[in-house]
Amino acid sequence: MQLEELFVSPHQDLDGHISALIQAFHEMDDSLQPYDRSDFTHRLADSAMPDGQMALTDYLHRLQQLLPGISHLASPRYMGHMTAPLPAYTGELSRLLAMLNQNPMKMESSRLLSFLERESLARLHRLVFSRGPDFYEHFMHAKDAALGVMTSGGTIANVTALWLARNHACGDNLFALAEQGWRGIAILGSRLMHYSFDKGMDLLGAGAASVRRLPVDEHNRLSLPALEAELRHCQEQKIKVIALIGVAGTTDFGSIDPLPEMAAIARREGIHFHVDAAWGGPTAFSSRYRALLAGMELADTVTLDGHKQLLVPLGTGMLLCREPDLMMAVKREAPYAIRASSFDQGRFTLEGTRPANALYLDAAFHLIGEQGYARLIEENYDRARLMASLIEADPAFELMAAPVMNLLAYRCIPPHLQGKPRDESANIQINAFNIALQKRQRAEGHSFVSRTQRAVSRYGEQPLTLLRAVQLNPGIRREHIEALLDEQKQLGQLVARELFS
Amino acid sequence: MQLEELFVSPHQDLDGHISALIQAFHEMDDSLQPYDRSDFTHRLADSAMPDGQMALTDYLHRLQQLLPGISHLASPRYMGHMTAPLPAYTGELSRLLAMLNQNPMKMESSRLLSFLERESLARLHRLVFSRGPDFYEHFMHAKDAALGVMTSGGTIANVTALWLARNHACGDNLFALAEQGWRGIAILGSRLMHYSFDKGMDLLGAGAASVRRLPVDEHNRLSLPALEAELRHCQEQKIKVIALIGVAGTTDFGSIDPLPEMAAIARREGIHFHVDAAWGGPTAFSSRYRALLAGMELADTVTLDGHKQLLVPLGTGMLLCREPDLMMAVKREAPYAIRASSFDQGRFTLEGTRPANALYLDAAFHLIGEQGYARLIEENYDRARLMASLIEADPAFELMAAPVMNLLAYRCIPPHLQGKPRDESANIQINAFNIALQKRQRAEGHSFVSRTQRAVSRYGEQPLTLLRAVQLNPGIRREHIEALLDEQKQLGQLVARELFS
C-alpha cells in the first residue's frame, strides 16, 4: 500500500472486519485463551521497529490473533472489574472523535468543543452541588472561573485536588513552609482511601507518612473519633493538614464516609474538603439512592470518573470545584500556547494537550440521561443485593460487607470449615484458599471476580483475602450470578483437595 | 428508544452519518463559522442534565450543528497546531479500542494488551537508545523492570520524569531535605523549556523559582556557560539540582539543545538528565535528520508524544527510561489492584486506569513504520525549508529562526516598515501588527498559523510577537503555503490601515 492511501482511502472492508472483531469480543470469554504469561510474553517480544510495509489485511490478521488474549469484560459472567461494556453508539462516536483530533487545552485548537466541555462540566457540577440556574449562567463560561477540569482519570483528578488544596493552604514551596517551622504536611482520610492519594502526596514532596490512613467503623466508614484525634496529633506535631479526604464509594466495599460530619470538621478547622466520588458519584442520578451521598455537596472539590458508572470510554476523569475561583491556585500560562487573557481550559488542567472526551459525556447525557442512568444504577444496586442474598443463603460463602452500592465483598469457605467458627488460624487457611481459587477461576476463564486484602471489623485487624464482585454490566442476569457462584463451589472442591489433603 | 437498545443495537445508519461528518470535516475550513466567542457561549449554555429521551437521530442533528464550530485542522491551509489529520484507519481502530475498553493499568484487566504495551515501549526504546537485542529480550517483559510508561501526554511524561528524578536524588520528603540544610531543589534548562516543567515543579512542592530558565544562544539552544554558572550558583545557595532538562524540539522554534555536552555535565555532576523530545523524538526515524538528536541516547529519561509526529490520536504520551530499574523510585502497590508480586504497569504509572493506546502505536509501527515515518518527516522538514525560502524572498515577511525541523518562526512586516531597519520602537509596532493580523486571519478562517512571544537574539531581549507555522499535515502543498502567505499580505494591508493611519 502507498503511504498516501493510508490517509485518504476509506479502506472499504475495514469497517466490516472491525465490526466482526467487536462482535466476537461481545461473545467471548477468557476460556478461549488461558491466562498464561509465558505464552503472552513469547508472542509479543519483537523490539525491532517494523519497516512499515505490512498490508492492512495482514495487520487485521494480527488483530484477529491478539483479540482472544485480551480481557473479556463484556461477558456477563465477568464481575471483577470497574469497567463495563459500553453502549453501542460509543464506537462510532469514538471514530468521530479520533478523526476530528480536537485539543481542548485551548480554544484555538478545539473552538466550540471548549465550550461543550464547560457545558458538560456545568451539568455535572449542578448534579453534584445543585446551585441555582443563575449561578451556572454566570460562571459556566466566565473567564477566570472553572467549575471543574477534565482529567485523564480519577487519579489525576485526585492529584489535582491535592495540588489545589496544598497551594491554597500554604503555596507551592515546602522549603518556605519548613522555614516557618512546619514539620510536614498531611492529608487525613480512612485507610480505604484510593492509592492515588499516596502517589499524589509523594509527588507533592510530602513523604510517605503524609497520608494518614485512619481506622474505619464496622461499616467501613472513616472513624470520626480517630479523625479528631489525628487532627490534634498533627497540630501538636506542627504538621499542616492540607485536606480531609472523604470517599464516596470505596474501591473495596463501596462504602461511603460520613460526609456531612467531615464537612463540618473541615469547615471548623479551615481545611480543604475533598470527596473522591470516582465510583459513587453517579449515584446522584437515582432518587432512590441519592441520599447516600448527603454531604458531597459541601465538598470543596469532587472527583468523578466518566469511565466508571457514567459509561463513557477510559480516559475521562473530572475534578469539580464547588467555588469557581478555586482553580486560580494553580493557574498557568505559556507564551506560545496558553495566554493569560484567554479563556483556555489549559490554564487550569494538570495535563496539556488532551482529547475532547467531553463529547462522550455530552452524548451520554442526551442519550442515557438522568432517567437512564437512574435505571441502570438502580438495577445494578439491586443485582448486588440479589448476589448478597445468594451468598448469605449458602454456607460455602461468607458475605464480608453488605452492599451499599454495587460492590460486594465476600469469600469462599473450604468444605472443612463451612459452618465452623473461624479463628485466626482458620482465616489463614481461608485466605490461601481464596487466593488459589481466584487464580484458578481466572485461569479457567469462564467467569471472574477480583480479589483484595483487607481487615473486616468482626475479625479484628487480621488481613483477609476477599473476593470482590462489581455489578456494572447491564447484561448480567440472575443466572450469570448463579453460574459464577456455582463455578466457585466446583473449583473450590478441587482447590480444597490440593491445598488441604 | 429503549435503554437496552443503546447497548445491543448496531444502529445501522449511524456509521454512515458519522462517515459523512468525518468527510465534511476533511473538506471544511473555519470560514464557515467565524471564531465568535459570544456565539459559542450562547449555543452551549444549558446546565440542566437532560432526561435522556433524545433519539439518536436527534443527537446526530446536534452533532451536525456543532461540527462547523470546531477547529478544522485537517485543512491544508492550517499550519498552526501540533496536531494533524490522522491516517484513515485510525477511526476504525479507535472504534475497536473504545468498545474493547481494556485497562492496561493491570494485566488482569487487559491481559495480552499489557504485553503489547511493553513491546511497543521496547520498540521506541530501541529507536531512541539503540541497545542490543539481548537487552530487550531480557528486560522487555521482566518483572521489576520498565523500559518506559505510557502517559496521557507529554505533560504527564515530563511530570513523571521530574518525580523520578527527585525521588532518585533525594526521596519524596522535602521537609527531611530541609532539615539536612538544603534550601531548595531546582531543575536547569533553557528558557524555551515547555511550561509543563513549571507545573511539575509546582506540584513537587519546589516553588516557582525552582525552574531555572537559562539564556539561549543565537540558535535558540541552551547556553552552556550559563548552565555551568547556574550549577555553581545553586551549589553556593545549597539548592539541590535534581535534573538537567534538554529540549529536542522547542515548541517555539524546533531548536535542539546541545545534548551531548549537557549529558557530559549531568554525568560529571551526578544529576538526572531528562530530554523532552515530545516534538522532535520521531526525527530518529530519518537517516537524513537523525544526527540532529545526537546525545538523546545519553539521557536518563526521554519524553515522546505519540499524538504529535507519530500520528496517533491525542492522549498517547510516553516516558522512556534508559535503565530499566529507574522506575523503582516511584513504584506503588494497592491491595485491591496492584500487587507487589505482579507484572502490572500500574506499579509505575502516575495515572491509574487508562486506555490501551499502545494499540494505536502498534498499528502505526506496522502500517507506517520506519520507512513511512522517515518519508513523512523528511517531506515535512522539506516543506518547512520551502516555506522559509518563500518568506526570505519577500520583504513583507521576516524569518525569525531558520527551521531545524518542521517549525517555523517568522513575522509579517507592515508596508511602511518593509526594507527599513527595525529598532525597538519599530518592533513595538510590528508586534501590534502581528497580533492583529493573526487574530484577523483566525477570524476569517481560510488559513491559520499560531503566534507566540519570544526574544530573538538579533533584537536583544525585547519580547517579539512571532508567527509560528507547523508543517505536519502531509496534505500541505506549495500552493497552500503560498495561499496562506498571500492571505497574510492582503489582510496585512487592511490591518496596517486600521493600525497605522
Side-chain angles (χ1 to χ4, degrees):
Chain A
M1 170 174 296
Q2 293 293 307
L3 194 54
E4 286 73 16
E5 286 178 40
L6 284 179
F7 285 86
V8 296
S9 155
H11 305 308
Q12 295 205 330
D13 296 338
L14 184 56
D15 59 343
H17 287 290
I18 295 289
S19 294
L21 288 173
I22 293 171
Q23 184 70 19
F25 168 71
H26 278 99
E27 290 165 2
M28 271 189 276
D29 64 33
D30 285 350
S31 60
L32 265 183
Q33 199 160 96
Y35 189 84
D36 177 348
R37 191 169 56 78
S38 72
D39 172 57
F40 289 166
T41 58
H42 269 87
R43 288 166 60 192
L44 293 166
D46 190 353
S47 64
M49 186 59 70
D51 61 9
Q53 301 297 300
M54 187 180 270
L56 194 58
T57 49
D58 292 333
Y59 190 70
L60 275 168
H61 186 66
R62 178 175 166 88
L63 287 180
Q64 276 155 2
Q65 294 202 304
L66 291 176
L67 210 64
I70 70 172
S71 167
H72 297 99
L73 55 90
S75 161
R77 292 181 310 279
Y78 272 56
M79 306 172 199
H81 297 305
M82 288 181 145
T83 35
L86 297 175
Y89 66 79
T90 311
E92 287 297 331
L93 201 61
S94 168
R95 186 157 75 91
L96 181 67
L97 209 58
M99 296 311 287
L100 300 186
N101 211 16
Q102 303 289 300
N103 173 12
M105 175 184 83
K106 60 185 271 147
M107 272 177 56
E108 216 169 59
S109 54
S110 62
R111 295 166 51 103
L112 192 54
L113 289 188
S114 282
F115 299 93
L116 185 80
E117 182 171 297
R118 282 175 172 256
E119 188 189 54
S120 301
L121 287 166
R123 292 190 208 266
L124 287 169
H125 191 283
R126 191 164 170 181
L127 180 75
V128 167
F129 294 105
S130 306
R131 307 287 284 257
D134 289 355
F135 173 87
Y136 295 102
E137 197 177 322
H138 187 78
F139 287 112
M140 187 190 297
H141 295 305
K143 187 179 168 308
D144 277 332
L147 301 178
V149 287
M150 302 290 299
T151 68
S152 65
T155 291
I156 299 294
N158 284 337
V159 167
T160 302
L162 298 181
W163 185 27
L164 274 170
R166 188 205 57 199
N167 282 13
H168 207 246
C170 54
D172 65 354
N173 187 342
L174 296 187
F175 292 93
L177 205 64
E179 277 176 30
Q180 292 163 30
W182 291 97
R183 299 189 52 220
I185 59 174
I187 58 171
L188 275 47
S190 99
R191 66 179 174 201
L192 296 173
M193 268 190 286
H194 192 253
Y195 75 114
S196 53
F197 293 105
D198 299 287
K199 287 186 192 174
M201 291 303 278
D202 183 329
L203 259 177
L204 261 51
S210 65
V211 182
R212 307 283 168 111
R213 294 182 169 276
L214 306 177
V216 291
D217 66 17
E218 70 276 21
H219 299 298
N220 297 303
R221 298 151 49 97
L222 173 68
S223 154
L224 292 169
L227 176 61
E228 293 283 13
E230 190 63 29
L231 278 168
R232 285 192 300 273
H233 189 63
C234 286
Q235 198 173 24
E236 286 158 18
Q237 292 191 307
K238 287 286 282 175
I239 303 288
K240 190 166 192 71
V241 178
I242 61 166
L244 305 191
I245 311 295
V247 186
T250 59
T251 332
D252 298 87
F253 302 106
S255 52
I256 299 168
D257 284 330
L259 305 180
E261 294 82 358
M262 293 181 73
I265 294 171
R267 174 168 301 191
R268 185 192 75 205
E269 303 283 330
I271 298 172
H272 186 104
F273 181 39
H274 174 65
V275 170
D276 179 359
W279 184 256
T283 308
F285 281 111
S286 159
S287 53
R288 248 172 72 197
Y289 288 103
R290 197 190 156 103
L292 287 173
L293 299 176
M296 179 168 71
E297 75 285 358
L298 303 171
D300 294 295
T301 47
V302 172
T303 288
L304 294 180
D305 240 353
H307 51 243
K308 294 191 166 81
Q309 299 207 67
L310 290 174
L311 300 176
V312 303
L314 296 178
T316 314
M318 284 146 277
L319 182 72
L320 302 177
C321 299
R322 193 187 60 217
E323 299 303 331
D325 60 353
L326 182 65
M327 275 287 167
M328 299 303 120
V330 299
K331 187 178 159 192
R332 292 271 152 203
E333 291 112 32
Y336 72 95
I338 302 295
R339 278 180 278 271
S341 61
S342 76
F343 288 72
D344 298 336
Q345 284 290 92
R347 290 172 299 157
F348 311 120
T349 54
L350 174 50
E351 289 150 303
T353 292
R354 57 195 170 77
N357 287 344
L359 190 62
Y360 290 124
L361 293 173
D362 184 70
F365 294 163
H366 285 91
L367 296 170
I368 303 175
E370 192 144 27
Q371 293 183 22
Y373 279 125
R375 225 188 84 196
L376 289 167
I377 282 166
E378 288 167 11
E379 287 173 2
N380 284 330
Y381 291 23
D382 288 347
R383 266 179 214 111
R385 282 149 183 78
L386 167 67
M387 187 170 183
S389 70
L390 295 173
I391 283 170
E392 287 198 292
D394 194 324
F397 302 104
E398 181 180 358
L399 187 66
M400 303 304 278
V404 180
M405 299 185 180
N406 47 350
L407 287 182
L408 203 70
Y410 69 106
R411 55 183 186 168
C412 298
I413 307 300
H416 70 286
L417 290 172
Q418 289 174 17
K420 304 257 170 68
R422 284 144 205 171
D423 59 11
E424 195 169 326
S425 103
N427 278 331
I428 289 169
Q429 288 184 49
I430 300 173
N431 282 354
F433 176 72
N434 278 274
I435 291 171
L437 177 62
Q438 193 263 354
K439 285 186 178 176
R440 182 66 170 264
Q441 190 174 20
R442 185 178 70 182
E444 297 276 334
H446 302 291
S447 58
F448 178 74
V449 292
S450 50
R451 72 174 200 271
T452 184
Q453 196 183 35
R454 287 292 180 193
V456 168
S457 62
R458 65 174 174 273
Y459 294 107
E461 288 299 308
Q462 186 177 11
L464 302 179
T465 297
L466 309 179
L467 302 177
R468 177 170 155 276
V470 185
Q471 291 294 336
L472 182 59
N473 183 343
I476 297 174
R477 303 279 167 264
R478 183 189 178 105
E479 64 258 32
H480 302 121
I481 298 173
E482 288 172 341
L484 178 136
L485 295 174
D486 280 347
E487 195 187 11
Q488 288 183 330
K489 279 168 39 171
Q490 284 171 31
L491 291 176
Q493 306 272 358
L494 299 174
V495 169
R497 268 201 294 279
E498 288 166 16
L499 278 185
F500 304 118
S501 65
Chain B
M1 169 174 298
Q2 291 295 307
L3 194 56
E4 287 72 16
E5 286 177 42
L6 284 179
F7 285 86
V8 296
S9 154
H11 305 308
Q12 293 205 331
D13 297 337
L14 184 58
D15 59 344
H17 287 291
I18 295 289
S19 294
L21 288 174
I22 293 172
Q23 183 70 22
F25 168 70
H26 277 98
E27 291 165 3
M28 269 189 276
D29 63 33
D30 284 350
S31 60
L32 264 183
Q33 201 160 93
Y35 189 86
D36 177 350
R37 194 169 54 78
S38 72
D39 172 55
F40 290 165
T41 58
H42 269 88
R43 288 168 59 193
L44 294 165
D46 189 354
S47 64
M49 186 61 68
D51 60 9
Q53 301 297 300
M54 186 179 271
L56 194 59
T57 48
D58 292 332
Y59 190 70
L60 275 168
H61 185 67
R62 177 173 167 90
L63 286 181
Q64 277 156 0
Q65 295 202 304
L66 290 177
L67 210 66
I70 70 171
S71 166
H72 297 100
L73 54 92
S75 161
R77 292 181 309 279
Y78 271 58
M79 306 172 198
H81 297 307
M82 288 181 145
T83 35
L86 298 175
Y89 66 80
T90 310
E92 287 296 334
L93 201 61
S94 168
R95 186 157 75 91
L96 180 66
L97 211 58
M99 296 311 287
L100 300 185
N101 211 14
Q102 303 288 299
N103 173 10
M105 176 184 82
K106 58 186 278 155
M107 274 176 55
E108 219 170 56
S109 54
S110 62
R111 295 165 52 103
L112 192 55
L113 289 188
S114 282
F115 300 93
L116 185 82
E117 181 171 296
R118 280 174 172 256
E119 189 189 53
S120 300
L121 287 166
R123 292 190 209 265
L124 287 169
H125 191 284
R126 193 164 169 180
L127 180 76
V128 167
F129 294 105
S130 306
R131 307 288 283 257
D134 289 356
F135 174 87
Y136 296 101
E137 199 177 319
H138 187 79
F139 287 112
M140 186 191 295
H141 294 306
K143 186 180 167 309
D144 277 332
L147 300 178
V149 287
M150 303 291 299
T151 68
S152 64
T155 291
I156 300 294
N158 284 337
V159 167
T160 302
L162 298 181
W163 184 28
L164 274 169
R166 188 205 58 199
N167 281 13
H168 207 247
C170 53
D172 64 355
N173 187 341
L174 296 187
F175 291 94
L177 205 65
E179 277 176 30
Q180 292 163 30
W182 291 97
R183 301 189 50 219
I185 59 174
I187 58 171
L188 275 49
S190 97
R191 67 179 174 200
L192 297 173
M193 270 189 287
H194 192 253
Y195 75 114
S196 54
F197 293 105
D198 300 287
K199 287 186 191 174
M201 292 302 279
D202 182 330
L203 259 176
L204 260 52
S210 65
V211 182
R212 307 283 168 113
R213 295 182 168 273
L214 307 177
V216 292
D217 65 16
E218 70 275 22
H219 301 296
N220 297 303
R221 300 153 47 98
L222 173 68
S223 155
L224 292 169
L227 176 62
E228 294 283 12
E230 190 63 27
L231 278 168
R232 286 193 299 274
H233 188 63
C234 286
Q235 199 173 22
E236 287 160 17
Q237 292 191 308
K238 287 287 281 175
I239 303 288
K240 190 165 193 70
V241 177
I242 61 165
L244 305 191
I245 311 295
V247 186
T250 58
T251 332
D252 298 86
F253 301 107
S255 52
I256 300 169
D257 283 331
L259 305 179
E261 294 81 358
M262 291 181 74
I265 294 170
R267 175 168 300 190
R268 186 192 74 204
E269 303 283 331
I271 298 173
H272 186 104
F273 181 39
H274 174 66
V275 170
D276 179 0
W279 184 256
T283 309
F285 281 112
S286 159
S287 53
R288 250 171 72 197
Y289 288 103
R290 195 189 159 103
L292 286 173
L293 300 175
M296 179 168 71
E297 74 285 0
L298 303 170
D300 294 295
T301 46
V302 172
T303 288
L304 295 180
D305 240 354
H307 51 244
K308 294 192 167 82
Q309 298 207 68
L310 290 174
L311 299 176
V312 304
L314 295 178
T316 314
M318 283 147 276
L319 182 72
L320 301 176
C321 299
R322 194 187 61 216
E323 300 303 331
D325 60 354
L326 181 65
M327 276 288 168
M328 299 303 120
V330 298
K331 188 178 159 190
R332 292 271 153 203
E333 289 111 33
Y336 72 97
I338 301 295
R339 278 179 280 271
S341 61
S342 76
F343 287 73
D344 298 336
Q345 284 290 92
R347 291 171 299 156
F348 311 120
T349 53
L350 174 50
E351 288 150 305
T353 291
R354 58 196 168 78
N357 287 345
L359 191 63
Y360 290 123
L361 293 172
D362 184 70
F365 294 164
H366 285 91
L367 296 171
I368 303 175
E370 191 145 27
Q371 293 183 24
Y373 279 124
R375 226 188 83 196
L376 289 168
I377 282 166
E378 289 167 11
E379 287 174 1
N380 284 329
Y381 291 23
D382 289 347
R383 265 181 214 111
R385 282 150 184 77
L386 168 66
M387 187 169 183
S389 70
L390 294 173
I391 284 169
E392 287 198 292
D394 193 325
F397 301 104
E398 181 180 359
L399 187 66
M400 302 304 278
V404 181
M405 300 185 179
N406 47 349
L407 286 184
L408 204 70
Y410 69 106
R411 56 183 185 168
C412 297
I413 307 300
H416 71 286
L417 290 171
Q418 289 175 18
K420 304 255 169 68
R422 284 145 206 170
D423 59 9
E424 198 172 321
S425 100
N427 279 331
I428 289 170
Q429 288 184 49
I430 300 173
N431 283 352
F433 177 71
N434 279 274
I435 291 171
L437 176 61
Q438 193 263 355
K439 285 187 177 176
R440 182 68 171 263
Q441 189 173 22
R442 186 178 70 183
E444 298 276 333
H446 302 291
S447 58
F448 178 74
V449 293
S450 49
R451 72 174 201 271
T452 183
Q453 195 183 40
R454 287 293 180 192
V456 167
S457 62
R458 66 174 173 275
Y459 294 106
E461 289 299 308
Q462 186 177 11
L464 302 179
T465 296
L466 308 179
L467 302 177
R468 177 170 156 276
V470 185
Q471 291 294 337
L472 183 59
N473 182 343
I476 297 175
R477 302 279 167 265
R478 183 190 179 104
E479 64 258 34
H480 302 121
I481 298 172
E482 288 172 340
L484 179 137
L485 295 175
D486 280 346
E487 194 186 11
Q488 288 183 329
K489 281 173 27 175
Q490 285 172 29
L491 292 176
Q493 306 270 0
L494 298 175
V495 169
R497 268 201 293 278
E498 288 166 16
L499 279 186
F500 304 118
S501 65

